[in-house]
Amino acid sequence: MKRIFISSMLLTLCLIAFGAERKSTVTVHTSEGTSVINRNIYGQFAEHLGTCIYGGLWVGEDSPIPNTNGYRNDVLTALKELHIPVLRWPGGCFADDYHWMDGIGPRDKRPAKVNSTWGGTLEDNSFGTHEFLNLCELLECEPYVSMNIGSGTVRETSEWVEYMTADNGPMAELRHKNGRTNPWKVKFIGVGNESWGCGGSMTPEYYSNEYRRYATYCKNFSGNTLYKIASGASDYDYTWTETLMKNIGNRMDALSLHYYTVLGWNGSKGKATTFTDDDYYWCLGKCLGIEPVIKKHIAIMDRYDAKNNIGLLVDEWGTWWDEEEGTTPGHLFQQNTMRDAFVAALSLNVFHKYSDRIKMCNIAQIANVLQSMILTNDDKMVLTPTYYVFKMYIPHQDATFLPSDIVCDEMQVPNERFQGGRNQEEEPTRTLPMLSATASRDAKGVLHLSLANVDLKQSQTVSVKLEETKAKSVSGTILTSKNIADHNTFKNPDTVKPEQFKGAKVNKKDASVITVTLPAKSIVTLEITTK
Ligand code: AHR
């Protein structure tokens, strides 16, 4: 791919002086699609953390907040519209401290415990296995259950699988007693979470043995086939991946990876809603830093698994800012601006590119925690800019990925803004293309092209060339706002929301070309029908 590099400062000065806009081209190779964008790349994550579950998803049947069997109606409606394919639960770090038997049976008899990982909040266990799996049925999504191998036992794990999926035997009888006759279908199980850290501080060699032991006793019951996911590396820990590929190999169906767009793990992570232009560009550079990381993990996987049988799942990703002032420490409640929307779009664009190996991703988290879809406060709810990106990208779910070449301006952004980040091995600067794009073809043959003009000040004219295809019509949706820090609040819930986009036209003389004018800091998804 040919790219033009011009110093960002110089280029911006020239553009401003001459009142010009940026120009770029995207060539979509419409007949070269070989991999499908697994819908599970649009997965979500719900942890017992802060108000993600309690208050966000679940208010209980006796709540004055309108609910269906304890689930908030407003949140249910909004989530159904997102076509969520898969939901990961109960953690995160919480998973390796969770004992599932505490969360079954009559709610008033369930024992309480302190959520020692997340703020010392009292966990009353009113949301447990039944509440989670029934929620997945309501949302028509697949459950992904993370097992406790850090502080649990092999027996506990094996009985949990049996309780959820067997149609006879003692665990099935216990389930019947608790009100559920038919087993649920549970395909995805995580064998631990961050086992190198909060999930048990294990070495990769030790974890590999633990994985093999625990996974042996996670059995397929009653026609349910498990897809077993090993707890993978964080960021740049390639040794973890190498060791697991060597020692676990095809005993796992997939290996996870966690990558957060975060300044560092010590000290301030920066504010979600107050930031400079430089902070914004740094953030997008850091977000795109996931691509070389994915490539390196995949290269290791390729050496052990040339046939591509083991999936790579980015089962935690997204932005991580300082908690909002006035919220409970340890609850990771953060606001969500247009900057977060860009992180969502750019990350999804990267995941699409590696969809031959990446089979699932789970943004952290679904409500009220980190880069969430939804924020709630008592009976109020707002949808975040990130929610809208996920909605605009629905047509890419299960569509065929179409490779594209992008020629656009680029800028160099510093790599780590602060000392103490975990990113010591990378280059001091990162290249940030001013345009990000991804294309796919759905089952009906309709093309979808998502474009993001990263530039905060300049509009951008994109010449889209559809190789070997002619466009019949083009329509679209745009997400943009006056300021990059704009966000939706309980008082003003509609500051950022998608609108119809009218800036794309099929070229009259050559219908294989579409000209798109993207306003500064905008994200667009086009629907293109072809002749
Ligand atoms: O998503 C918040 C936390 O981040 C998760 O519990 C943990 O797995 C990760 O470190």
Side-chain angles (χ1 to χ4, degrees):
M1 191 189 319
K2 199 175 115 235
R3 286 211 178 109
I4 304 160
F5 169 73
I6 307 173
S7 142
S8 70
M9 193 64 128
L10 187 67
L11 182 71
T12 307
L13 286 175
C14 292
L15 288 167
I16 292 169
F18 298 109
E21 59 180 5
R22 293 191 190 271
K23 289 197 188 332
S24 48
T25 63
V26 175
T27 306
V28 183
H29 302 289
T30 61
S31 50
E32 285 181 24
T34 51
S35 65
V36 166
I37 299 167
N38 194 314
R39 63 199 300 263
N40 292 333
I41 283 176
Y42 289 81
Q44 298 282 340
F45 171 33
E47 180 165 9
H48 287 241
L49 195 181
T51 53
C52 181
I53 305 277
Y54 300 110
L57 301 173
W58 173 259
V59 285
E61 286 149 349
D62 300 332
S63 171
I65 297 173
N67 68 82
T68 303
N69 304 330
Y71 310 102
R72 297 178 68 121
N73 288 346
D74 50 359
V75 171
L76 272 184
T77 305
L79 293 180
K80 279 182 189 167
E81 285 181 18
L82 269 197
H83 298 196
I84 293 173
V86 58
L87 182 58
R88 178 173 184 248
W89 173 85
C93 294
F94 182 81
D96 281 287
D97 202 15
Y98 181 61
H99 300 281
W100 69 273
M101 288 235 183
D102 293 349
I104 56 169
R107 287 196 197 105
D108 59 355
K109 302 233 160 38
R110 297 184 193 175
K113 73 173 271 174
V114 173
N115 186 336
S116 53
T117 314
W118 301 116
T121 309
L122 204 66
E123 163 66 59
D124 70 2
N125 279 306
S126 57
F127 190 96
T129 302
H130 290 246
E131 289 76 14
F132 171 65
L133 294 173
N134 292 344
L135 172 63
C136 291
E137 285 186 341
L138 279 174
L139 294 176
E140 296 179 36
C141 71
E142 297 237 32
Y144 168 3
V145 179
S146 279
M147 302 285 158
N148 176 355
I149 76 156
S151 68
T153 63
V154 173
R155 178 174 179 174
E156 205 180 344
T157 303
S158 115
E159 289 185 341
W160 197 7
V161 173
E162 187 174 337
Y163 184 88
M164 293 187 285
T165 60
D167 59 14
N168 66 341
M171 286 298 119
E173 275 164 34
L174 181 59
R175 191 187 65 235
H176 294 182
K177 214 173 106 210
N178 291 331
R180 170 82 185 201
T181 311
N182 294 329
W184 293 276
K185 284 277 173 231
V186 178
K187 178 176 172 185
F188 301 111
I189 58 157
V191 183
N193 166 76
E194 296 196 350
S195 302
W196 38 265
C198 66
S201 303
M202 303 178 196
T203 63
E205 291 81 9
Y206 183 82
Y207 171 75
S208 298
N209 286 341
E210 287 296 273
Y211 174 96
R212 291 165 68 130
R213 191 161 72 101
Y214 275 77
T216 303
Y217 299 98
C218 292
K219 308 256 173 143
N220 293 332
F221 291 97
S222 316
N224 183 73
T225 306
L226 296 173
Y227 180 96
K228 297 174 192 170
I229 302 155
S231 164
S234 173
D235 308 272
Y236 318 96
D237 187 355
Y238 306 110
T239 307
W240 186 273
T241 295
E242 177 97 38
T243 312
L244 268 54
M245 288 303 294
K246 192 159 57 187
N247 294 347
I248 302 178
N250 57 19
R251 284 182 168 86
M252 61 188 166
D253 294 298
L255 175 64
S256 73
L257 170 67
H258 291 180
Y259 184 94
Y260 282 98
T261 297
V262 61
L263 270 175
W265 298 103
N266 307 317
S268 171
K269 296 178 172 62
K271 293 202 183 316
T273 53
T274 318
F275 51 88
T276 64
D277 290 359
D278 283 350
D279 293 336
Y280 160 79
Y281 288 120
W282 170 84
C283 167
L284 297 200
K286 168 75 184 181
C287 148
L288 287 180
I290 197 173
E291 183 165 1
V293 169
I294 285 173
K295 272 177 152 169
K296 286 185 194 165
H297 286 288
I298 289 180
I300 296 167
M301 294 177 80
D302 286 346
R303 279 198 275 113
Y304 292 89
D305 174 36
K307 292 204 173 129
N308 207 350
N309 290 323
I310 302 171
L312 180 65
L313 314 188
V314 187
D315 65 8
E316 285 187 31
W317 66 275
T319 57
W320 193 320
W321 308 117
D322 286 344
E323 294 168 330
E324 282 295 299
E325 266 169 40
T327 61
T328 311
H331 280 195
L332 311 187
F333 182 95
Q334 67 187 40
Q335 250 298 353
N336 193 298
T337 68
M338 269 302 292
R339 173 173 66 168
D340 298 84
F342 274 96
V343 170
L346 269 52
S347 303
L348 291 167
N349 294 355
V350 171
F351 301 153
H352 288 186
K353 255 173 99 174
Y354 298 91
S355 49
D356 55 341
R357 182 67 87 168
I358 297 185
K359 302 297 174 200
M360 188 195 293
C361 301
N362 306 76
I363 188 168
Q365 299 193 3
I366 195 165
N368 294 334
V369 170
L370 301 177
Q371 189 177 352
S372 43
M373 305 294 119
I374 281 174
L375 300 175
T376 64
N377 186 10
D378 294 331
D379 61 344
K380 296 193 188 60
M381 176 194 81
V382 293
L383 305 178
T384 65
T386 299
Y387 173 95
Y388 289 122
V389 170
F390 270 69
K391 195 159 181 204
M392 287 164 63
Y393 272 56
I394 287 174
H396 294 301
Q397 291 190 17
D398 277 345
T400 302
F401 172 71
L402 302 176
S404 347
D405 287 335
I406 303 165
V407 180
C408 65
D409 295 335
E410 294 174 339
M411 70 192 284
Q412 295 297 309
V413 290
N415 190 340
E416 283 304 296
R417 300 287 311 284
F418 293 95
Q419 294 300 318
R422 294 193 288 192
N423 193 12
Q424 304 305 335
E425 66 180 73
E426 306 289 314
E427 297 299 312
T429 61
R430 291 188 171 108
T431 301
L432 175 62
M434 292 289 100
L435 180 74
S436 178
T438 191
S440 67
R441 187 194 311 101
D442 71 13
K444 291 184 184 142
V446 177
L447 305 186
H448 291 93
L449 174 65
S450 294
L451 298 161
N453 179 10
V454 159
D455 196 305
L456 287 175
K457 305 260 164 24
Q458 302 297 321
S459 61
Q460 188 159 177
T461 300
V462 188
S463 179
V464 178
K465 168 84 181 146
L466 305 176
E467 221 174 53
E468 295 175 43
T469 304
K470 293 204 186 306
K472 192 154 71 182
S473 69
V474 59
S475 56
T477 310
I478 183 166
L479 189 71
T480 188
S481 195
K482 196 160 169 248
N483 302 302
I484 190 67
D486 283 348
H487 54 280
N488 296 331
T489 63
F490 299 108
K491 239 179 164 179
N492 297 305
D494 292 324
T495 305
V496 184
K497 62 174 190 192
E499 284 172 11
Q500 196 187 356
F501 179 64
K502 295 191 178 144
K505 302 260 173 308
V506 180
N507 191 312
K508 283 198 181 121
K509 288 192 185 141
D510 178 3
S512 69
V513 176
I514 297 171
T515 305
V516 190
T517 308
L518 295 174
K521 52 177 163 16
S522 65
I523 300 166
V524 162
T525 293
L526 299 177
E527 176 175 301
I528 304 164
T529 61
T530 55
K531 289 181 181 164

